[in-house]
Structure formats: structure tokens, C-alpha cells
Amino acid sequence: MPSSPRPQTGPVGYTAFVQLHRRDYEMYAGARLGNSKLAMSVVAEVLRGAELNWTTLMLRENPLALTWRALRDSVTTARTEVHDSQADGLHRTLPDQPADAVLLREGLGMDTKAAAALMGMEEPELHMQFQVARRLLADLGHGR
């Protein structure tokens, strides 16, 4: 009995995942790094990791959140290659999730639903992270 051929583009669903998220991932990484070439490289590496672990990733409770964390961590690591002292000031000031919420909503102009989906969370959780960021920034005198 012949087996059905495996798609050349990777595991089922992976290609769609990349088509849906690559551009937003690159915008996020570029905004944090201030270097589009480095951002594209970081995103490509994260997506390669997701492809290699796709089956396992899909068995997890929230694969979008796991991939988002991998992206955020990879961008944070890559930040050491950027010599711009202005790069990633928001993430140097705030905890990860509130910083991401502000960057996606205000920096990249995403609506709450799109930003929450990208981060692998529900809208109320993203709204809460955004409010935490606003309070922390106000406390630091960076009113938003």
C-alpha cells in the first residue's frame, strides 16, 4: 500500500502558519531590533525551529503562545548584536508581556484581537497586559 506523499513545504498546517504570521513576526522583530536584516534572520530561525517541532508543537495546549515566546526570547538574545542604544527601550523598561502588548498595539498599530491572536492569548488577557504597561509607564513618569 503506497503512502501518500508528504508536502514539500513541511508539515500540514505549517505553511499556513508561516503565511499568517511571518510578516507580523518580522515587523515585531524589526521594531525591537531596529535592523530589518537581523529581524528577518531571527524570524527565519524561529520558524525553522517551529517547523522541526511542528508535530510536538501542535500537541501542546497553546502552540501560538509557545512560538511567540520563542520569538520574543530570540529577539531578546539577538538584541545583543544591535549597537543602537535606543533599540528596544520598551522591553528594557517593562516586563515582556506588557511591553509586547504596547509594541503591538501602539508601535505597530494592531487592534486588540489581532495582537492577542499573534501572542496566543485571549483579548481580555492582552487588554490586561496593556493596562499593566500603562500603569507601570505612568509610575515611571513615561505617561502614555
Side-chain angles (χ1 to χ4, degrees):
M1 171 191 251
S3 63
S4 60
R6 183 171 183 215
Q8 295 299 316
T9 56
V12 175
Y14 174 76
T15 301
F17 174 81
V18 170
Q19 289 174 346
L20 283 172
H21 300 294
R22 173 177 242 133
R23 182 176 171 271
D24 291 332
Y25 283 2
E26 288 174 350
M27 288 182 358
Y28 167 82
R32 286 193 58 198
L33 297 170
N35 179 320
S36 60
K37 186 176 179 181
L38 179 58
M40 288 171 46
S41 174
V42 168
V43 170
E45 190 64 31
V46 168
L47 291 175
R48 267 192 294 282
E51 181 179 20
L52 292 172
N53 297 300
W54 190 252
T55 302
T56 303
L57 201 59
M58 292 298 101
L59 297 175
R60 299 290 173 103
E61 186 174 315
N62 192 336
L64 287 172
L66 292 172
T67 306
W68 181 259
R69 279 194 299 275
L71 175 64
R72 182 177 53 225
D73 293 347
S74 294
V75 169
T76 298
T77 300
R79 184 173 64 196
T80 61
E81 296 178 33
V82 178
H83 302 291
D84 180 359
S85 63
Q86 299 294 318
D88 212 22
L90 194 58
H91 282 77
R92 294 176 197 266
T93 304
L94 296 174
D96 288 336
Q97 287 190 327
D100 286 346
V102 171
L103 178 58
L104 293 176
R105 293 243 347 254
E106 292 187 356
L108 299 179
M110 288 186 171
D111 64 30
T112 303
K113 183 176 183 173
L118 192 64
M119 291 176 65
M121 62 177 58
E122 299 295 324
E123 287 181 68
E125 185 180 354
L126 182 92
H127 183 69
M128 181 192 69
Q129 294 298 334
F130 187 74
Q131 294 304 319
V132 166
R134 290 181 67 163
R135 270 181 268 158
L136 290 171
L137 289 170
D139 289 348
L140 294 170
H142 298 289
R144 282 208 175 244

